[in-house]
Amino acid sequence: MIGQYGSYDFRKFERDFRKGFYGIEACLLQSEEDIFALKMAAQEHDFQIGIHFPLRNRGLVIRDALFLASDENERNQAFQSALEELEAIYRLGLRPAYILFHYPKPVILDDCVDWSKWHFSSPREYVYESEYAFEEFTQRSEELFVWMTERSRQYGFVPVLEFDALNRYVYASDALEELLKKYDLIRLCLDTGRLFLQEKRDPSFRSVPVMRKYAKYAEVIHLWNLQFGEGFIKLRYPVLPEQRQEDGWAPIAEYLQIIKEENPNAKIQFEHRSELVDDEELERCYHWVSEFLAEDPY
């Protein structure tokens, strides 16, 4: 898959999309014209649509729904805004294969980690672990899973939760895995760059075990690389086989091997900035990933 964020970019589609790709993940489209173009392209080229909530850019400071907020009014607002978005999507006739939401939101942060360089649009987007009990996390998460399951059956889409920053409630307990087993319509999105970035920021976090733990539940993999040295050197870079860990790149080959072993049917969404490479490098990116995950290139 490829992404279309902010607008439906015809030039990006012509350069990045390939025959045989599953589809396009769309997010924060600016206008009705962009949505119409996406719908028409899906019909013409026979691809599926995934939506990264929200589909439409409404100019909000916080784009994510704060489903796990401690404040009841904040939670109610999150569920209401998500429902309004679902109804609007289906009135438009898009019929997405999946709709993706960030999780957990608010993000639950380890008090001992320096999060100053993690991007947040507002302090309302996060809460520290010391202020948010494990029991509240499990209760609010199950409420979300119940709601998502009901909406999935009502509207006919796969609900996907994309990990934001994670604390030990997710990576050091089985609570989320138990919910994924109990509510098996709910799936995950694993973001390779985001997981590697947290490993570099959080000394308690290891991305490979998290990938191994949750890959089997993934509907979508957001695939991109970053090179981490003294700060960011390259961000949202297309994955290429020559990117070595000793040079500060994420262990993409190890991630892909886990995906191949645990969930070879997961959708690969190239969430990179393709303009950072030339046409030959972009083709090598596609070819390497396809060859790695399957016996035959796409």
Side-chain angles (χ1 to χ4, degrees), residues 5 25 27 51-53 63-64 98-105 107 118 144 148 159-166 170 176 186-195 217-224 236 269 271:
Y5 303 126
E25 183 177 291
C27 179
I51 291 175
H52 188 308
F53 179 87
R63 74 177 194 180
D64 294 318
Y98 68 84
I99 301 178
L100 179 154
F101 302 85
H102 282 179
Y103 173 89
K105 275 298 176 93
V107 179
W118 199 272
L144 173 61
M148 288 285 185
V160 175
L161 301 179
E162 179 185 357
F163 286 154
D164 208 300
L166 302 176
V170 173
L176 177 59
I186 313 296
R187 305 290 287 171
L188 296 179
C189 171
L190 302 176
D191 184 299
T192 58
R194 192 187 295 266
L195 289 171
Y217 304 105
E219 183 75 10
V220 186
I221 306 296
H222 281 175
L223 187 64
W224 57 282
R236 293 207 175 274
Q269 206 275 87
E271 203 187 43

Side-chain angles (χ1 to χ4, degrees), residues 16 18 37 39 69 86 109 112 126 134 139 182 228 242 247 254 256 279-280 289 292:
D16 292 8
R18 298 290 185 274
K39 182 178 178 180
L86 290 177
L109 300 177
C112 299
Y126 61 86
F134 178 70
Q139 177 187 344
K182 183 176 179 180
F228 195 97
E242 63 267 24
D247 294 329
E254 193 167 3
L256 290 176
D279 291 347
E280 185 273 332
V289 173
F292 200 112

